[in-house]
Amino acid sequence: MNVSGLRDNFGRLHNNLRVSVTDRCNIRCFYCMPERDAAFVPRAEILTYEEIERFVRIAVRLGITKLRITGGEPLVRRDLPELVRKLAAIPEIQDLALTTNGVFLSELAEPLYEAGLRRINLHLDTLDRERFRQITRHDSLDRVLAGLETAKRAGFHPIKINAVAVKNLIEPDIVPLARFGRENGLEVRFIEFMPLDAQGLWDRSRVLLASDIIEILSREICPLVEVPDADPRAPATEYRYADGAGTVGFIASVSRPFCLNCNRIRLTADGHLRYCLFAIEESDVKPLLRGGASDEAIEEFIRRVVSGKWEGHAINSARFVAPPRPMYSIGG
Ligand code: SAM
Ligand code: SF4
């Protein structure tokens, strides 16, 4: 590994890469995708598995040790276990994880486990079939729950549940989802609704804040105690239930931005490297990957992107501008 690592101009060291493998998805969560006519990148623009593997191997030489596969919905990309096998074989990767909506987990959990994946974040906002349909515009709750069971049986651990916290919508789901997590040994993580939806529906008044959820859970289930940060650079703040039965996490990107501790960069499915989820600018590495550039030239490219990273997304200031790409297209 290169000893100097990927440090930006604010002194932050980057060891975490998120790779989006597709911008396509089999459902249509309203806070991410439009209901119809979503714009997708032409297939020829999507990085091949060989290109992704090469990029990751180069990034690893610069100090990347944590990798998350995401999308769009990563499980709609053909032969995903093949990519997982390639990435799991890179010895420097200490943590390989996947974020999925779970609809295809019944079919893919075992092949993914067998390919070397051990950690999954499952996106699930509600256990109520009608609200699931309302949020995702698909009637797939049963498939997701069956997929979760298959993933547990396959041996995935830990499995975390991602729930997007939208005000005046998911309040009835908070307690049932948290109980479901406690009963099944899953950490539920509530993610504040971020201004990354394709239809421009986001408004600060539609964000259900972490502090409100903490209050609801403390009142309805049991008091919560903040867990001292095991990893201060992880975006989630963890709490444990005072009765000892499990933990719950909060990704409070709106009410408590964590830019100061950011250690992440993102590669979009079409090969654009981004230094922030909310970045306005991004840099296309495809011309290098497809144009015969040396590994050193790609290393230099990654360094340049990281050193140009901004201080933070300033989501709570008047200067904030939402990025031109919505969540599914960036890779969440
Ligand atoms: N399709 C997979 C999934 O749904 O988990 C992976 C990609 S998705 C873009 C990654 C995560 O982004 C999801 O788990 C979802 O919770 C979160 N997400 C999507 N849109 C969001 C938004 N506008 N605000 C906050 N989180 C969002
Ligand atoms: Fe698809 Fe995930 Fe976006 Fe929902 S959040 S539309 S599952 S990419």
Side-chain angles (χ1 to χ4, degrees):
M1 182 191 116
N2 186 307
V3 281
S4 64
L6 280 172
R7 202 174 282 282
D8 70 11
N9 286 333
F10 301 92
R12 294 170 296 198
L13 201 55
H14 293 69
N15 67 346
N16 190 321
L17 171 67
R18 296 186 170 222
V19 176
S20 172
V21 294
T22 180
D23 57 349
R24 287 156 208 260
C25 188
N26 46 344
I27 59 177
R28 291 287 180 274
C29 307
F30 78 89
Y31 42 67
C32 177
M33 289 187 99
E35 184 162 11
R36 45 185 77 88
D37 302 330
F40 298 117
V41 168
R43 284 185 202 276
E45 299 291 308
I46 301 285
L47 295 187
T48 64
Y49 287 166
E50 288 67 31
E51 288 166 341
I52 292 174
E53 183 192 4
R54 179 170 179 223
F55 183 89
V56 171
R57 283 188 178 274
I58 295 170
V60 154
R61 299 206 317 230
L62 296 173
I64 293 294
T65 55
K66 293 165 83 96
L67 199 63
R68 176 172 297 278
I69 300 170
T70 183
E73 172 48 39
L75 302 196
V76 305
R77 175 95 186 242
R78 189 174 304 168
D79 300 326
L80 188 68
E82 214 177 88
L83 176 67
V84 167
R85 195 176 305 284
K86 289 179 192 298
L87 300 178
I90 302 176
E92 294 85 349
I93 298 291
Q94 294 160 9
D95 181 30
L96 175 63
L98 170 88
T99 304
T100 174
N101 64 31
V103 175
F104 288 147
L105 263 184
S106 290
E107 294 82 357
L108 282 165
E110 281 175 18
L112 287 168
Y113 192 90
E114 196 269 320
L117 185 70
R118 294 291 178 269
R119 241 164 47 72
I120 285 186
N121 283 24
L122 178 76
H123 172 198
L124 177 64
D125 301 324
T126 178
L127 297 168
D128 178 272
R129 182 172 174 186
E130 180 45 35
R131 215 159 20 257
F132 184 97
R133 203 192 50 71
Q134 188 189 345
I135 292 171
T136 66
R137 293 125 165 183
H138 279 257
D139 187 12
S140 305
L141 177 62
D142 289 350
R143 289 185 57 101
V144 175
L145 294 176
L148 172 59
E149 278 310 309
T150 313
K152 276 164 62 181
R153 270 201 311 277
F156 282 100
H157 185 80
I159 300 176
K160 295 183 180 172
I161 303 290
N162 286 350
V164 181
V166 183
K167 200 170 185 152
N168 297 328
L169 180 69
I170 69 127
E171 285 84 346
D173 299 305
I174 292 171
V175 171
L177 206 54
R179 289 215 163 100
F180 179 76
R182 273 159 62 91
E183 284 156 17
N184 290 281
L186 311 163
E187 177 175 304
V188 177
R189 291 151 29 123
F190 292 97
I191 306 174
E192 289 179 348
F193 178 24
M194 294 183 265
L196 292 166
D197 62 294
Q199 293 169 285
L201 301 171
W202 186 88
D203 181 87
R204 191 167 294 275
S205 66
R206 298 210 65 190
V207 183
L208 184 59
L209 301 177
S211 53
D212 294 332
I213 303 177
I214 291 169
E215 196 191 307
I216 294 170
L217 293 178
S218 300
R219 193 179 59 233
E220 303 284 329
I221 298 188
C222 111
L224 293 177
V225 184
E226 190 167 346
V227 178
D229 245 333
D231 176 4
R233 310 202 64 191
T237 312
E238 250 188 55
Y239 285 72
R240 63 178 173 80
Y241 293 98
D243 64 3
T247 58
V248 58
F250 299 91
I251 301 185
S253 321
V254 179
S255 64
R256 300 183 208 160
F258 31 82
C259 304
L260 274 178
N261 283 326
C262 185
N263 61 355
R264 287 175 292 285
I265 51 176
R266 296 164 189 271
L267 184 66
T268 65
D270 58 342
H272 291 230
L273 190 61
R274 300 173 62 85
Y275 54 64
C276 175
L277 183 54
F278 293 97
I280 303 297
E281 54 178 10
E282 51 185 31
S283 307
D284 191 357
V285 72
K286 256 192 331 304
L288 299 183
L289 288 170
R290 294 184 179 175
S294 65
D295 287 0
E296 290 67 29
I298 294 171
E299 268 187 26
E300 185 45 39
F301 169 95
I302 300 173
R303 281 191 188 289
R304 225 180 18 251
V305 168
V306 172
S307 73
K309 179 163 174 154
W310 61 14
E311 190 172 8
H313 52 61
I315 200 169
N316 291 310
S317 85
R319 337 182 235 120
F320 176 75
V321 181
R325 281 179 170 222
M327 190 65 130
Y328 72 92
S329 158
I330 297 171

